Structure formats: structure tokens, C-alpha cells
Amino acid sequence: MAGVISLVGREGLERVQRRSRRILIGVLAALLTLGGGGGVAVGVYGRSLDGNLARTDAFAGLPQESRPTRAVTGAMNVLLLGSDSRDPDKTADSRTDAIMLLHLDADHQKAEVVSIPRDTWVFVPRSPDGRHGDTMAKINAAYAWGGTPLTVQTVESFTGVHIDHVALIDFAGFAQVVDALGGVDMAIEKTITSIHAPHRTFTKGRQHLDGVAALDYVRQRYQFSDGDFSRERHQREFLEALLDRAAGLGTLSNPVKLNSFLQAVTKSMTVDQDFNLVDVAMELRDLRSDNLTFLGSPSAGTGMKSGQSVVLADTAKAKALYQAITHDTVQEYLGTAAPSPTPTANLSP
């Protein structure tokens, strides 16, 4: 999971791009193994991987008349969600740990990933059962109240961007991916004790972690001055470490290891009914590492709402960013957008 906490300045953006480059190279290498080879064997293999993906009706019950329209042919918007449950129907008391919007430009030469802090204060439409929603709340409440469809509806309402596909990543399932690679090396920001049993101690510096320990670390937030924002940062670092490990072991250049890696990853994902892995790989085949931009949904800092510490959206800047996504003019927007400060917060659940 990746993301910066506000629209950053050019220097900060370049740092994020550099940190994310190895991640993208690894992902592209895997996807292009599917998309670039062509032929019957690739199609069969792609369909076998596609069969690993759990499916959910991500758009069930959405009022079509109120959904944003697609303004540009060829562009694609994918809502990426991170959670601790692979079953999208079991959402009671669960909330998404990560919310990101991936925009692929119509020419398929560039893509942008916008991270939306999970505590962003937004309007959540009424849930299908009528018991929740129709109120202002943290954006990740939508998942607990109405699963993936209400989350889609909430994000579309907040951004005005039409969502084409949805992919949920099960962090718990990724523990098995890590263990299959023999663990990962992560740079621990500072010495902390986990708030979760068995209350591991993570010592500052570079540490080798197994899957369960790595996921325990990226869930921590109360020990850091920027609270939930630190969790987003550590999620990005975790994925980078994961793919660095895969690349370092020769996974991405070894068909047998690559297959094991992709099998484990796809078994940890849930996608919408129309998502086709080979088709998406083909859409991404011309994308290169220098053409991916990570940024965050513009924020005005934090505040208190209904007794909760929340992230407040910078509505003017957010509107400009999401309009640029809708009209496929993000690169032009980035060339003219003024830098924003990165807020810090220690957020409550």
C-alpha cells in the first residue's frame, strides 16, 4: 500500500517516485510476463491465475443515475482497498486499512495513485440495510456499514470519479507471501513495543521479519507522532521490501519462483466480477517505472468531529485533483499545482 499524506512539492514527489520505483518494476515484470508474451500458453496461465482471485459484486445496488460518468474513453480508475479479511461479505466491525485510487491515463503511458487517508471526514451514503450512513463519518466506516459497494459509492461521492474496477488486498494473506519468500528486511523507524499480543519489540534499524511480524509492525501507529499517516508510510515500505526480496531472490526472472509468487499474491486478492487479469496486464504493458506518480488526497490537516480525531480534506485542492483525474489531465494538474504541507496527527480508531 502506498501514498503520501497530502499533495507534496516536487522534491517530495520525486522522493516518493524513487522509493516506489522498485515496487513498480517488480509488479510490471510480473504483469508483463502475462501481457507481453501472447499465445495460448500465456492465456491459459493468465486464466489459471484469474481463477485464484476471489470475486465480489463490488457495484451491487449502486444507484446508476447518481454515479459519476466516464468522461474520457480509454482511461481506467481502479479502487484499491487493503483489509484484514478476504471475505468481502464479512465486514461487521471491520474497516479498510488502506484506500487508494489508481488512475491509468487514456494513452496508457502514465498512471497516478492517490492515497486517501482512512480517517478522512466525508459524507457516507445510506447503507443498503438502511441502518447506517446518510451522515458524515470517517471514509473507512463505509466498508463496515455496507461492504465494498458502499465504499465505492462513498469514494465516488467524495471524488466525483467513476470507479471501473475494485481490488481488495488481504494483508493477513500477505503474511504467507512473505513467509514463502523467507521473510523481508525492513528499516524499523524507532524502537517500539507492539500494542497487539504477543507485544513484540521492534528495535530501531534494519530487521529481518517473518510475515506475521512484518504485518504487526505496519499496523502500529500510536507510537508515532504522525499516527495513522505512519501506518500508510510503513505499508508502502512493506510492499517495497516484499518486492525487493522477491527480486533479490531472482523470483521475477525465474519462472518457477515467479509462478509461486503470483499464485500466493492472487490468492490474497478479491476483485470485482468484471476484472480480468490478462486484460489489465495488457492495459499496463506500455507503462514504465518513471511514469507512475504517487500522491495523497489533499488534506487541510486534522481536527475533531463527533468526538473523533479525523483528517479534514482540503476541498478546493481535492476538487481540482479529482476533476483532473476525471478529465485525464492529471499530469497538467501536477505541473501547475502548488505544494502543500504534510500534516501530522495521532488519530483515534
Side-chain angles (χ1 to χ4, degrees):
M1 298 285 113
V4 198
I5 308 310
S6 66
L7 181 62
V8 297
R10 183 63 57 186
E11 180 180 352
L13 184 60
E14 290 174 353
R15 286 199 300 270
V16 175
Q17 288 174 315
R18 286 196 296 270
R19 285 196 298 266
S20 306
R21 191 158 295 160
R22 282 171 290 175
I23 298 177
L24 180 62
I25 290 172
V27 171
L28 284 175
L31 288 173
L32 294 175
T33 298
L34 295 176
V40 175
V42 170
V44 171
Y45 176 62
R47 285 193 294 274
S48 73
L49 284 177
D50 216 49
N52 290 341
L53 298 168
R55 301 279 171 173
T56 183
D57 193 349
F59 305 101
L62 266 63
Q64 295 302 314
E65 66 279 1
S66 64
R67 295 192 65 194
T69 58
R70 296 184 183 90
V72 178
T73 301
M76 181 171 65
N77 300 310
V78 183
L79 180 61
L80 305 174
L81 304 173
S83 74
D84 285 332
S85 173
R86 192 167 187 252
D87 185 348
D89 296 321
K90 295 180 180 178
T91 57
D93 300 321
S94 65
R95 301 197 176 199
T96 48
D97 285 334
I99 303 171
M100 292 177 288
L101 182 61
L102 165 66
H103 173 73
L104 177 65
D105 292 7
D107 61 6
H108 298 180
Q109 300 298 312
K110 293 184 181 297
E112 299 82 31
V113 180
V114 181
S115 177
I116 303 174
R118 68 176 202 163
D119 288 331
T120 301
W121 191 247
V122 301
F123 177 76
V124 178
R126 185 177 299 279
S127 61
D129 62 9
R131 298 172 56 193
H132 303 287
D134 194 24
T135 185
M136 297 294 293
K138 294 181 180 181
I139 194 168
N140 68 341
Y143 189 73
W145 291 346
T148 310
L150 187 59
T151 303
V152 171
Q153 188 177 4
T154 301
V155 172
E156 287 190 337
S157 173
F158 171 59
T159 64
V161 174
H162 181 92
I163 303 301
D164 299 303
H165 292 294
V166 177
L168 297 92
I169 299 173
D170 176 19
F171 287 136
F174 260 53
Q176 299 175 8
V177 179
V178 173
D179 289 339
L181 294 173
V184 294
D185 296 317
M186 292 192 65
I188 305 302
E189 193 170 325
K190 68 176 185 179
T191 299
I192 62 170
T193 299
S194 171
I195 64 172
H196 304 126
H199 306 293
R200 298 175 180 83
T201 296
F202 296 97
T203 305
K204 180 179 179 179
R206 197 160 189 80
Q207 303 293 333
H208 186 78
L209 305 176
D210 64 17
V212 173
L215 292 172
D216 186 14
Y217 175 67
V218 301
R219 290 184 177 118
Q220 306 306 308
R221 57 175 172 155
Y222 294 109
Q223 305 92 326
F224 300 92
S225 61
D226 53 356
D228 215 44
F229 296 151
S230 67
R231 173 154 44 190
E232 291 188 18
R233 182 171 63 253
H234 297 154
Q235 287 168 350
R236 182 183 66 245
E237 292 169 354
F238 163 68
L239 290 179
E240 182 176 10
L242 180 68
L243 288 179
D244 278 351
R245 178 71 173 175
L249 293 174
T251 302
L252 301 176
S253 60
N254 182 309
V256 175
K257 290 183 178 180
L258 177 60
N259 175 59
S260 297
F261 178 69
L262 290 175
Q263 292 283 344
V265 170
T266 52
K267 289 176 181 177
S268 298
M269 294 181 65
T270 298
V271 297
D272 62 87
Q273 300 287 4
D274 295 328
F275 184 96
N276 183 291
L277 191 61
V278 175
D279 287 348
V280 172
M282 291 299 292
E283 297 282 355
L284 297 173
R285 69 185 183 278
D286 294 326
L287 199 63
R288 295 295 179 265
S289 61
D290 289 339
N291 304 130
L292 184 74
T293 300
F294 284 88
L295 57 154
S297 187
S299 167
T302 60
M304 296 299 296
K305 296 289 185 180
S306 302
Q308 307 172 79
S309 180
V310 304
V311 174
L312 303 172
D314 186 321
T315 53
K317 291 182 179 179
K319 180 179 180 180
L321 170 60
Y322 293 121
Q323 283 185 342
I325 290 176
T326 295
H327 297 289
D328 201 30
T329 58
V330 184
Q331 292 302 311
E332 291 88 335
Y333 167 83
L334 291 175
T336 59
S340 299
T342 299
T344 59
N346 197 351
L347 303 177
S348 60

